[in-house]
Amino acid sequence: MIRAILIDDEPLAIQVLERKLEETGEYEIVATFQSELEWKGSIDDLQYDVAFVDIQLVGSNGLNLVREMQATNKESLCIFVTAYEEYAVNAFEINVLDYLLKPVSTNRLKTTTERIHNELELRGLKAMEEKAHSIQINLFQEFSVYYEKKLVHWKTSKVKELFAYLLTYHNQYVERDMIIEALWPGEDYQKSKRHLHTCMYHLRKKLKSIGFDHAVTFLDKRYLLQIETSTDVDEWKKAMNDLHEQPDSVEPFNRVLTLYTGKYLERDDYEWAKERMQAHHFQMISVMVKMKNYYSDREQLEETSQCLNVLMKEDPYSEELVQEMMGILRRMGRRADAVSLYEAFAERLQTDLQLKPSARLRAFSKGI
């Protein structure tokens, strides 16, 4: 519903317009005024979306009144309603949304209503975008929330963990018992439920303080978190989706790697997050493999070796990676480094696993 106020010094004109607006089923008439003085007496209590104002008011000028309205309530829309066409140019110079001539026809009012809806929708989208930019949420490495560039502090560590958990299932309903099992595993159920209710109260209170009122809803023993913002993980996933199987440049790889600033919630050490942490990290390893293949296909040996170094740190017992790295080093004229790599690998296998390199790798090392 569009919340509207009407200002006209003719009571009959107010009644006619009020009836026409109500007949559309689109408006809620918040208040009506017959003078500028009446309107000024209610400024502090008024909440409305649009004001329908007569230009010629007894004792005042509608143009000046609208200027004052725009100064006191920048979010409201103004529409002139008058019997005189000659004011149209002046009206649009002060940025009113529309200009209606009396008597207002049903079809003309329909057009005005569509304009109001479109403008309110645009303003709503802009407000959501501004709100989204005012908050920054990081889930990689360590969970942190910044509002207007200031770190958000939580009532307790469990309130913080609860928000992180709900963000993991952002825009999805989560069973209450599933939350309890994740955050208070093995504890008494009734006691854990009370803990959840207390934490949820403080979480809602904190979210409201940073502009996200009614962000968490409860229905059929399930919770739903809905906030108009994105996390660093969301940005990374978007970059992952943009990464084609065979990109024609290295930039998509670099973007994915740059956005991945650390393992998912690693420093927070939440038990429920470890499976997701491993899944995300495995995806990053697969990206590094693709990047290595990209460089290898283009005979960019130095870049290929850099990727292999990263992969070998992730999997220090992989003979395939060691053999590929030895081959790259040989092609780069670094035979001594290839031999040293093999010897270090053989020692690591023996020390850590009491194993020896395979016959294939031993034969390959002799050919270096």
Side-chain angles (χ1 to χ4, degrees):
M1 296 286 281
I2 301 170
R3 298 170 300 173
I5 64 171
L6 315 182
I7 305 177
D8 197 312
D9 56 10
E10 298 180 16
L12 181 59
I14 287 180
Q15 291 175 17
V16 171
L17 181 57
E18 185 173 5
R19 187 180 70 251
K20 281 186 172 291
L21 292 173
E22 289 178 341
E23 285 174 352
T24 67
E26 302 275 1
Y27 293 88
E28 174 193 351
I29 308 304
V30 175
T32 62
F33 305 99
Q34 290 182 233
S35 69
E36 180 178 348
L37 190 61
E38 281 188 14
W39 169 75
K40 284 184 175 180
S42 303
I43 289 178
D44 295 337
D45 301 322
L46 282 178
Q47 289 188 338
Y48 59 95
D49 301 311
V50 60
F52 290 85
V53 183
D54 184 16
I55 288 183
Q56 286 194 324
L57 297 170
V58 174
S60 62
N61 181 292
L63 292 169
N64 293 332
L65 172 57
V66 167
R67 288 191 182 96
E68 188 171 350
M69 294 177 80
Q70 291 173 337
T72 57
N73 186 352
K74 295 180 180 179
E75 298 302 317
S76 67
L77 305 174
C78 292
I79 293 172
F80 277 130
V81 185
T82 182
Y84 304 96
E85 293 185 6
E86 60 265 28
Y87 291 105
V89 174
N90 291 334
F92 284 109
E93 283 180 352
I94 61 173
N95 197 30
V96 295
L97 184 65
D98 209 346
Y99 187 96
L100 298 176
L101 286 174
K102 297 177 181 178
V104 180
S105 70
T106 301
N107 286 337
R108 185 65 181 83
L109 186 56
K110 182 179 179 181
T111 301
T112 298
T113 302
E114 290 176 354
R115 288 181 180 176
I116 295 171
H117 277 305
N118 290 338
E119 183 64 23
L120 291 176
E121 183 178 354
L122 285 173
R123 292 188 178 195
L125 291 172
K126 183 179 179 182
M128 285 192 294
E129 185 177 340
E130 289 174 352
K131 185 184 289 186
H133 286 312
S134 68
I135 188 168
Q136 176 187 342
I137 300 175
N138 303 315
L139 291 162
F140 281 135
Q141 199 168 48
E142 182 176 12
F143 180 48
S144 60
V145 180
Y146 290 85
Y147 178 66
E148 294 182 345
K149 299 183 179 180
K150 294 181 180 179
L151 181 65
V152 173
H153 297 282
W154 306 93
K155 182 73 174 178
T156 67
S157 60
K158 276 298 179 185
V159 175
K160 176 184 176 182
E161 184 179 358
L162 175 60
F163 187 37
Y165 186 85
L166 292 175
L167 277 169
T168 302
Y169 298 95
H170 189 204
N171 290 326
Q172 301 176 51
Y173 277 102
V174 187
E175 297 286 343
R176 179 183 61 194
D177 290 356
M178 184 175 166
I179 300 173
I180 290 174
E181 181 59 32
L183 271 66
W184 293 277
E187 292 192 18
D188 177 75
Y189 178 74
Q190 293 300 326
K191 184 178 179 181
S192 298
K193 193 160 70 169
R194 289 194 296 271
H195 287 328
L196 174 60
H197 290 163
T198 302
C199 289
M200 195 65 72
Y201 166 79
H202 289 297
L203 175 60
R204 284 171 166 152
K205 186 177 179 181
K206 175 60 71 173
L207 292 177
K208 183 178 180 179
S209 73
I210 60 177
F212 293 99
D213 200 5
H214 308 299
V216 183
T217 55
F218 183 71
L219 178 67
D220 295 332
K221 300 181 181 180
R222 298 178 300 166
Y223 286 96
L224 173 68
L225 174 69
Q226 290 179 300
I227 55 175
E228 296 295 333
T229 189
S230 61
T231 68
D232 56 348
V233 174
D234 293 326
E235 293 299 312
W236 172 75
K237 286 181 178 179
K238 190 184 300 181
M240 288 287 288
N241 290 334
D242 293 339
L243 184 61
H244 302 296
E245 287 298 319
Q246 292 182 325
D248 55 6
S249 78
V250 75
E251 288 309 312
F253 293 113
N254 285 332
R255 175 161 175 74
V256 169
L257 293 173
T258 300
L259 290 171
Y260 187 78
T261 55
K263 292 182 179 180
Y264 184 78
L265 295 173
E266 182 179 23
R267 292 183 183 174
D268 298 284
D269 198 31
Y270 299 143
E271 191 63 35
W272 52 264
K274 290 183 178 178
E275 183 176 342
R276 191 169 295 244
M277 177 179 70
Q278 292 171 356
H280 288 337
H281 197 63
F282 180 79
Q283 286 179 286
M284 282 307 302
I285 293 173
S286 68
V287 169
M288 184 59 70
V289 171
K290 290 180 181 179
M291 191 175 186
K292 182 262 296 181
N293 293 338
Y294 173 90
Y295 284 129
S296 180
D297 292 343
R298 288 159 179 76
E299 296 293 319
Q300 294 178 250
L301 302 182
E302 183 62 40
E303 290 81 1
T304 304
S305 69
Q306 291 173 1
C307 292
L308 282 168
N309 273 324
V310 173
L311 292 170
M312 286 191 298
K313 288 179 181 178
E314 293 293 332
D315 189 358
Y317 306 112
S318 170
E319 287 199 349
E320 289 77 10
L321 292 175
V322 169
Q323 183 169 327
E324 186 174 0
M325 185 63 165
M326 290 170 64
I328 293 293
L329 291 172
R330 181 177 61 185
R331 291 170 64 190
M332 294 171 68
R334 296 168 55 185
R335 294 178 181 274
D337 290 336
V339 172
S340 296
L341 174 63
Y342 171 78
E343 291 173 347
F345 177 71
E347 183 178 352
R348 182 163 57 251
L349 276 184
Q350 180 61 43
T351 302
D352 297 349
L353 305 177
Q354 290 75 53
L355 295 174
K356 293 182 179 180
S358 67
R360 185 185 66 177
L361 186 60
R362 291 199 301 270
F364 185 83
S365 68
K366 291 178 181 178
I368 291 293

